[in-house]
Amino acid sequence: MPIIGKGGAETFKNSVNTQIMSVFRSMSLKRKIVLLYLLIVFAPTSIVVAGVGNYFIKEARSNYLLTVQEALKQTSQSFSFKKQSYDLLAIRTASDGELIARLSRNYTERLEHLDTIRYVDRSFQGMSRYLPGIIDFRIYHDNDSLVQDGGILWKPEERLLIDQTEKSWYEQRRESNEPLLWQNAGEDKSKIIVSHKIFDTSGELCGLVYLLLDYNEIFAEAFRDPFGGAGEVYAVDQSERVLASSVRNDIGKPVTDTAIEPYLQAGEAANRIDGKWVLTDDSDPESKIMALLDIRQLEKKLRPTLIMVGIGGTLLVSTSVLLLLLILKQLVWRIDKLAARVGDISNGVFEAKVKTRNQDELGELEVLFNQMTGQLRRLVQEKTEAVLKEKEQAYRALQSQINPHFIYNTLGLIRWRALDSNDQVQVDLIDSMTTFYRKALNNHENVTSIQEEVEHVKAYLDIQQHRYPGRVKVEWEISSDVMNFYVPKIMLQPIVENCYLHGRIAQRKGATIRIEIFGFEDNVHFGIFDNGYGIESSKLEQIEAGIYSGSGNGLGISNIRDRLFLYFGHRSRLMIESEQDRFTNISIVIPACSERPQIIRGDEHDTNIDRG
């Protein structure tokens, strides 16, 4: 991996500084202050608020899960404790030695039957009353020599026991491996059957302890509305069946048929399914407690707290924004006031002053501004006096010039008389002269549209066509989408005039003048071609060098080049191609200006650019 040296690091640092300064240089003061505020105050504050909120959510979720786990453990302990009480009753009954002996005995006399029945009632009738929720307490046996009393002592027969016969249930329990078994009472979700096998001294089954319990009285309260409605709880036995649940319809079902099954399949990713988590407590080896927890409920509970955090962050940011606005108002207000006074100066109000009250950097600038306005006022007075003198001299010069309106009126009178004489050729010629002189003698504007410039050239060519009828063919190739751009006034006509004066185009056979105007990228291209006598090579070199002094009464190429440079600087080009006795082609390229161009100040010209 290349190591950047000290020089490279310095270059990189300078490059970064340059990029930052270029960005800042293009921004207004308000934007710079706002950007600094966003980077220094708003962004860090937002990150801190977001971090605090995120940390709070994580901590709250972690504490919530710990609380839920503890509640789940307590539910498991409560469930196991209640279940253990009935387990002890069943085990105590099934392990009673006297009961086992009596159930295994072969009875021959009636008094023996009565004695066993009394023993069973005396020993177990009161025992079942100490625990709540016992609906029925029975001892089933299959001793053919022993009777049943219909109280506690029963034989399995074809009588219906919940959802199956006693004999069917007894046989199922005989085949099962569990000595102690908790079962849901079929479709009846309100009852639970607890049974325990009774073995004789040889290990053979001689009976079953049968307890029918009221689910609502024993377990319903512990499983009602767990976690404040944010989840469900399931008590699952060793055979993976739901023994008790907050979802009443799931009691007695295999756990795989409940809503908890998809989360069991998802494993570690269970908490990613619909925002729910599965928690399990299996401290009881005979059953386990499972909870399906909806984390979204937690988020709803946390929402008021998060809103408070958001409000606190908003208040903090709002306070900083208010301070920023106060600073901007004080700072920018003074700058705007100073800018307004500068605007007054630009409008000619040189008496404008700024009141300064603060001894800070802006206060110093305001003092310097007032000193500058005083100096400008004196300079303007001197300039005004000089302009008045210049106007007096210009007025005297104007008195010696021909009044353009006199020319227009005279041409109008001649045109009227030509119309009266039905001389259409003369009318056309007068119209061309009127258009030509109207544009040539208009001294109010130094720039014009390409449309007007073309009309001026056409007026000149119409006059020349009347002067040399049928001798010169004029071709036009003008793009309509450039007609509204601006050019320096009288730029094309002098070049076309040179075709007649210096190129002697009217004396050539097959004489042709071709004028092209089209746009390309951000420029406008002009081309004037004639197949006249061309320019001598020595004269062409002098023209290119700008030292040729032409003769005649038209504007020379040097004058056009100077005016182009005056408005466009080095962005304009004037190129001449010519071969003596063959042709002359002049190309001009200027920027496409949809607004009137202004004369460029002298310090904006690049004196090192070759204007040729």
Side-chain angles (χ1 to χ4, degrees):
M1 180 177 179
I3 300 178
I4 300 177
K6 183 176 180 181
E10 189 68 24
T11 302
F12 177 75
K13 179 181 177 182
N14 293 336
S15 176
V16 172
N17 290 336
T18 301
Q19 294 294 330
I20 295 175
M21 292 304 298
S22 64
V23 173
F24 267 78
R25 199 176 294 117
S26 62
M27 299 172 64
S28 63
L29 179 61
K30 288 183 180 179
R31 292 185 176 180
K32 291 177 182 177
I33 296 176
V34 171
L35 178 60
L36 290 176
Y37 163 77
L38 293 176
L39 294 177
I40 298 175
V41 179
F42 182 80
T45 303
S46 300
I47 292 173
V48 169
V49 171
V52 169
N54 187 49
Y55 174 78
F56 176 78
I57 291 175
K58 289 183 177 180
E59 287 297 312
R61 179 176 290 179
S62 177
N63 294 334
Y64 181 71
L65 291 176
L66 290 176
T67 303
V68 169
Q69 192 73 50
E70 184 63 28
L72 192 64
K73 185 176 181 180
Q74 293 178 2
T75 301
S76 177
Q77 292 175 351
S78 175
F79 177 78
S80 297
F81 177 76
K82 290 183 178 182
K83 183 172 173 288
Q84 188 177 19
S85 300
Y86 300 96
D87 289 346
L88 290 174
L89 175 59
I91 295 172
R92 169 69 182 81
T93 303
S95 60
D96 185 87
E98 182 64 25
L99 176 64
I100 295 173
R102 289 180 179 272
L103 293 180
S104 304
R105 183 186 305 173
N106 186 17
Y107 293 86
T108 58
E109 297 182 5
R110 185 177 184 86
L111 290 176
E112 292 178 346
H113 288 273
L114 182 59
D115 183 57
T116 298
I117 292 172
R118 287 175 179 175
Y119 171 78
V120 171
D121 289 340
R122 184 175 61 251
S123 300
F124 303 106
Q125 186 72 41
M127 187 184 297
S128 63
R129 295 174 182 174
Y130 291 109
L131 295 176
I134 298 178
I135 301 174
D136 196 2
F137 176 68
R138 299 180 184 182
I139 299 175
Y140 281 93
H141 67 90
D142 55 1
N143 190 339
D144 295 334
S145 63
L146 180 62
V147 299
Q148 56 180 336
D149 65 350
I152 296 179
L153 205 58
W154 292 75
K155 280 186 177 183
E157 296 181 353
E158 295 298 331
R159 291 183 296 267
L160 186 63
L161 185 66
I162 307 299
D163 60 348
Q164 60 183 333
T165 64
E166 295 173 334
K167 185 176 290 186
S168 175
W169 171 77
Y170 192 88
E171 291 300 324
Q172 287 181 1
R173 285 294 287 122
R174 181 191 296 274
E175 298 298 329
S176 65
N177 297 323
E178 297 86 358
L180 177 65
L181 181 64
W182 286 67
Q183 295 174 285
N184 295 104
E187 296 296 330
D188 192 351
K189 309 296 184 181
S190 63
K191 296 180 178 62
I192 295 178
I193 298 173
V194 180
S195 60
H196 197 292
K197 292 182 178 181
I198 303 174
F199 298 98
D200 59 16
T201 56
S202 63
E204 295 295 329
L205 181 69
C206 62
L208 283 172
V209 178
Y210 171 86
L211 294 175
L212 183 62
L213 307 180
D214 187 345
Y215 174 87
N216 294 327
E217 187 172 353
I218 300 174
F219 298 123
E221 186 63 30
F223 289 87
R224 181 180 291 114
D225 193 25
F227 316 119
E232 307 294 345
V233 178
Y234 299 83
V236 183
D237 61 17
Q238 291 177 324
S239 61
E240 297 295 323
R241 299 186 72 88
V242 178
L243 192 61
S245 174
S246 58
V247 183
R248 199 60 175 270
N249 293 332
D250 287 344
I251 297 175
K253 294 181 179 179
V255 71
T256 55
D257 293 341
T258 66
I260 204 172
E261 191 273 337
Y263 303 91
L264 296 177
Q265 296 294 332
E268 294 295 331
N271 59 339
R272 299 180 182 179
I273 303 179
D274 298 332
K276 295 182 179 180
W277 288 3
V278 172
L279 302 177
T280 303
D281 184 277
D282 51 5
S283 56
D284 186 353
E286 296 182 357
S287 63
K288 59 183 176 182
I289 304 297
M290 305 180 71
L292 180 60
L293 187 64
D294 193 345
I295 297 299
R296 293 173 299 183
Q297 299 295 328
L298 168 64
E299 294 174 353
K300 288 182 180 179
K301 295 179 180 180
L302 292 178
R303 189 170 299 165
T305 306
L306 293 176
I307 290 176
M308 294 301 298
V309 173
I311 292 175
T314 302
L315 289 176
L316 181 62
V317 173
S318 299
T319 302
S320 63
V321 170
L322 180 61
L323 293 176
L324 175 68
L325 292 177
L326 290 176
I327 295 174
L328 283 176
K329 183 177 180 182
Q330 176 65 18
L331 180 63
V332 178
W333 175 76
R334 293 174 64 189
I335 294 176
D336 289 342
K337 187 176 180 181
L338 187 61
R341 300 290 80 80
V342 173
D344 293 338
I345 291 178
S346 65
N347 293 327
V349 182
F350 296 99
E351 291 78 13
K353 289 186 177 181
V354 178
K355 293 182 180 180
T356 176
R357 301 181 180 88
N358 299 337
Q359 300 299 322
D360 54 10
E361 288 79 359
L362 277 178
E364 296 178 1
L365 182 61
E366 291 166 348
V367 172
L368 293 175
F369 175 80
N370 292 333
Q371 295 176 357
M372 180 191 69
T373 55
Q375 295 177 357
L376 283 175
R377 190 163 48 251
R378 290 191 296 271
L379 291 175
V380 168
Q381 290 176 352
E382 297 174 357
K383 178 67 175 178
T384 301
E385 294 176 358
V387 169
L388 290 175
K389 293 180 180 179
E390 183 179 352
K391 285 185 177 181
E392 290 178 358
Q393 295 175 356
Y395 178 73
R396 296 190 183 94
L398 286 173
Q399 289 179 340
S400 62
Q401 295 180 0
I402 300 175
N403 188 344
H405 293 287
F406 175 75
I407 296 177
Y408 300 152
N409 293 336
T410 303
L411 289 174
L413 178 61
I414 298 173
R415 185 179 187 279
W416 178 79
R417 294 182 64 85
L419 286 172
D420 191 52
S421 301
N422 293 323
D423 189 346
Q424 187 61 40
V425 175
Q426 190 174 353
V427 169
D428 294 341
L429 183 58
I430 293 172
D431 287 342
S432 298
M433 291 181 63
T434 302
T435 301
F436 177 81
Y437 281 110
R438 180 178 292 111
K439 297 184 180 298
L441 298 178
N442 183 10
N443 296 320
H444 298 291
E445 297 290 345
N446 293 326
V447 294
T448 185
S449 67
I450 294 177
Q451 176 73 39
E452 294 182 352
E453 184 70 7
V454 170
E455 291 178 357
H456 184 220
V457 175
K458 286 184 176 180
Y460 175 79
L461 286 172
D462 287 342
I463 296 173
Q464 293 292 9
Q465 292 291 67
H466 283 87
R467 183 179 179 186
Y468 305 106
R471 295 188 185 181
V472 180
K473 179 183 178 181
V474 180
E475 297 178 353
W476 298 89
E477 294 185 13
I478 302 177
S479 176
S480 60
D481 55 357
V482 300
M483 301 301 281
N484 292 326
F485 293 134
Y486 288 91
V487 295
K489 182 180 175 182
I490 312 179
M491 182 184 73
L492 300 179
Q493 185 271 331
I495 299 175
V496 175
E497 184 177 356
N498 285 337
C499 297
Y500 287 91
L501 292 178
H502 304 294
R504 302 191 301 279
I505 189 69
Q507 301 176 13
R508 300 279 286 189
K509 291 183 179 181
T512 301
I513 297 176
R514 184 170 62 253
I515 300 174
E516 298 177 342
I517 305 176
F518 60 92
F520 180 73
E521 294 181 349
D522 294 331
N523 297 321
V524 179
H525 292 242
F526 299 85
I528 300 93
F529 171 87
D530 72 88
N531 57 356
Y533 285 94
I535 305 174
E536 297 177 4
S537 58
S538 58
K539 185 186 297 184
L540 182 59
E541 291 177 358
Q542 294 178 1
I543 294 174
E544 291 290 346
I547 59 176
Y548 177 75
S549 57
S551 59
N553 56 2
L555 293 174
I557 295 298
S558 298
N559 182 280
I560 297 174
R561 181 182 282 121
D562 290 339
R563 286 192 295 135
L564 290 174
F565 188 75
L566 189 64
Y567 282 95
F568 305 114
H570 63 271
R571 294 185 299 166
S572 64
R573 297 191 302 274
L574 191 152
M575 296 159 286
I576 304 175
E577 296 180 73
S578 183
E579 291 187 16
Q580 191 172 1
D581 294 330
R582 290 194 60 191
F583 72 92
T584 299
N585 185 38
I586 297 179
S587 300
I588 299 176
V589 179
I590 63 173
C593 297
S594 58
E595 297 182 358
R596 293 179 178 273
Q598 303 295 324
I599 294 177
I600 302 176
R601 299 196 309 268
D603 56 354
E604 295 180 354
H605 288 288
D606 187 354
T607 56
N608 294 324
I609 299 295
D610 183 4
R611 289 161 50 190

